[in-house]
Amino acid sequence: MKKIQISPSILSADFSQLGNELKRLEKGGADMIHVDVMDGHFVPNLTIGPPVIKSLKKNCSLKFDVHLMISPVNKYIEAFADAGADIITIHPEATDNLKNSIFKIKKLNKKIGVCLNPASKIDLIIDFLDQVDLVLIMSVNPGFGGQKFMPKVLNKVKKLKKIQNENNLDFDIEIDGGINFDNCKAAIDAGANILVSGTTIFKSNNGNIKKNIDLLKSQ
Ligand code: DX5
Ligand code: ZN
């Protein structure tokens, strides 16, 4: 079984203190940093882009797990790779040529992730499962932090895990949206090995990041 890893989403961090927030995450035992990039078009919210990622990366030794919610994604891939993204995750609906976008990310020597919205089916990515490093399963509709976990996506995680086992594949299964102390075990039992969490990590237990990361790992 893969080691359980926590990828805190900085969407719930104090944006006036982002550098310090990353230090707190590093000290608290985060395995990587989840960066939510939104364009106000593919999703109804706007966040940050390559220049901010580039500055943050300079003072952080953790890997950047960059979740691109932007469309069309293809023309921005290089900018995020240059800015320091280590994993670049894209939505199949955000590109008119998924094969090409995957190839582009791999050619830049970055890890490639593909992401499925709650309503998106595994069929959309089935032909590429042998090429990707990570599959991100959304457990909320992307766009905002602090939403309620949708338990129905656990079936998709289970199905994906089964396909993975049957075909001897090795990608990580990451889950994103509404993860808390009550549902993290179900997500792990279903097959997820990377948990993204924003609200729970930054807001629970008075923002005690280390405690929250440890609790998510040990439920
Ligand atoms: C939603 C983002 C998530 C989100 C997670 O569009 O992709 O990464 O910020 O935050 P919580 O844990 O608050 O749902
Ligand atoms: Zn995300």
Side-chain angles (χ1 to χ4, degrees):
M1 203 181 130
K2 283 180 186 270
K3 197 178 115 217
I4 303 305
Q5 300 190 76
I6 306 295
S7 187
S9 164
I10 56 170
L11 200 55
S12 300
D14 177 350
F15 270 54
S16 72
Q17 301 288 328
L18 268 185
N20 290 334
E21 294 284 69
L22 290 197
K23 288 268 168 285
R24 290 211 299 141
L25 291 172
E26 268 190 282
K27 280 198 195 121
D31 295 288
M32 59 189 95
I33 303 292
H34 188 83
V35 184
D36 287 306
V37 178
M38 305 184 186
D39 66 351
H41 164 72
F42 185 70
V43 289
N45 196 5
L46 279 165
T47 56
I48 58 170
V52 177
I53 293 178
K54 192 172 182 179
S55 314
L56 292 173
K57 183 75 187 179
K58 276 186 207 144
N59 292 308
C60 183
S61 61
L62 294 176
K63 290 207 176 349
F64 276 28
D65 165 31
V66 177
H67 177 193
L68 296 181
M69 289 161 271
I70 60 176
S71 163
V73 70
N74 227 29
K75 63 177 172 182
Y76 298 104
I77 287 173
E78 208 155 356
F80 284 98
D82 288 348
D86 297 284
I87 306 167
I88 299 181
T89 296
I90 60 174
H91 287 249
E93 295 93 342
T95 173
D96 50 19
N97 191 333
L98 184 56
K99 186 178 173 186
N100 189 274
S101 300
I102 291 174
F103 179 73
K104 196 165 185 169
I105 294 170
K106 286 172 87 110
K107 224 178 134 201
L108 290 160
N109 278 320
K110 302 296 176 181
K111 298 251 190 236
I112 160 75
V114 284
C115 182
L116 293 176
N117 281 341
S120 301
K121 299 223 164 24
I122 296 176
D123 287 358
L124 273 176
I125 55 166
I126 192 90
D127 292 340
F128 304 100
L129 289 179
D130 58 345
Q131 294 165 46
V132 301
D133 299 294
L134 176 150
V135 177
L136 174 55
I137 301 291
M138 291 307 300
S139 39
V140 299
N141 285 311
F144 301 92
Q147 301 184 76
K148 204 168 172 294
F149 181 76
M150 298 164 83
K152 67 165 191 186
V153 306
L154 291 177
N155 278 336
K156 190 159 46 181
V157 175
K158 284 180 196 158
K159 202 171 156 194
L160 185 64
K161 187 73 197 166
K162 190 164 176 270
I163 295 172
Q164 181 182 56
N165 287 338
E166 285 170 359
N167 294 280
N168 278 318
L169 298 170
D170 191 42
F171 51 82
D172 287 308
I173 301 179
E174 183 175 43
I175 189 161
D176 182 7
I179 292 291
N180 60 33
F181 306 128
D182 296 326
N183 56 33
C184 57
K185 185 173 183 314
I188 293 167
D189 288 348
N193 66 291
I194 305 179
L195 308 179
V196 175
S197 164
T199 307
T200 297
I201 285 180
F202 283 98
K203 312 277 188 228
S204 296
N205 294 305
N206 292 317
N208 184 335
I209 287 175
K210 176 156 178 21
K211 183 170 183 180
N212 295 334
I213 289 177
D214 287 348
L215 278 171
L216 283 175
K217 283 190 179 177
S218 65
Q219 290 303 299

